[in-house]
Amino acid sequence: MSEARAATEKLHTELHGLGVTSAYEIGDDATISVWIGLVVRYRDGFYRWQEGPVKRRHLGTDPVGCAMRVARRYKELQADIPLWWDDLARELRGRPVQDYP
């Protein structure tokens, strides 16, 4: 098992424990999609995530700390849907976007 795969599995487990049950691995062993526009990647020993056009990096290598920050941000984004979300959802799903995930 690769280092990236092990790291993403740990992160996925931590996110699930924090109530983020919709997260899934994209299939490259290093990327987890938490929500449309909120993606976490493990690269060079660090967890990095992108929310819409903004890129962020967790300053540690621990999946617990990263999962806590990402789960907190996930809840904030769902409570106050950002403007970029609608555009991205339309682009990914097509014009008729009925519900938010």
Side-chain angles (χ1 to χ4, degrees), residues 11 14-15 18 58 62-74:
L11 178 64
E14 293 297 330
L15 285 168
L18 292 170
H58 177 60
D62 63 312
V64 175
C66 182
M68 288 177 16
R69 291 181 71 186
V70 170
R72 184 179 327 121
R73 188 62 186 140
Y74 169 73

Side-chain angles (χ1 to χ4, degrees), residues 2 4-6 28-30 32 35 61 70 82 84:
S2 72
R5 173 105 176 141
D28 64 359
D29 289 345
I32 293 177
W35 193 46
T61 58
V70 170
W84 56 259

Side-chain angles (χ1 to χ4, degrees), residues 11-26:
L11 178 64
H12 190 261
T13 300
E14 293 297 330
L15 285 168
H16 192 55
L18 292 170
V20 181
T21 58
S22 60
Y24 60 92
E25 185 184 328
I26 295 209

Side-chain angles (χ1 to χ4, degrees), residues 3 7 12 15 20 25 30 34 36 38 43 45 52 54 66 68 70 75 78 80 88-90 92 99 101:
E3 176 188 1
H12 190 261
L15 285 168
V20 181
E25 185 184 328
V34 179
I36 290 178
L38 181 58
R43 189 179 76 216
V54 179
C66 182
M68 288 177 16
V70 170
K75 289 175 184 169
Q78 284 194 315
D80 187 20
L88 183 59
R90 272 191 207 92
L92 294 174
D99 295 316

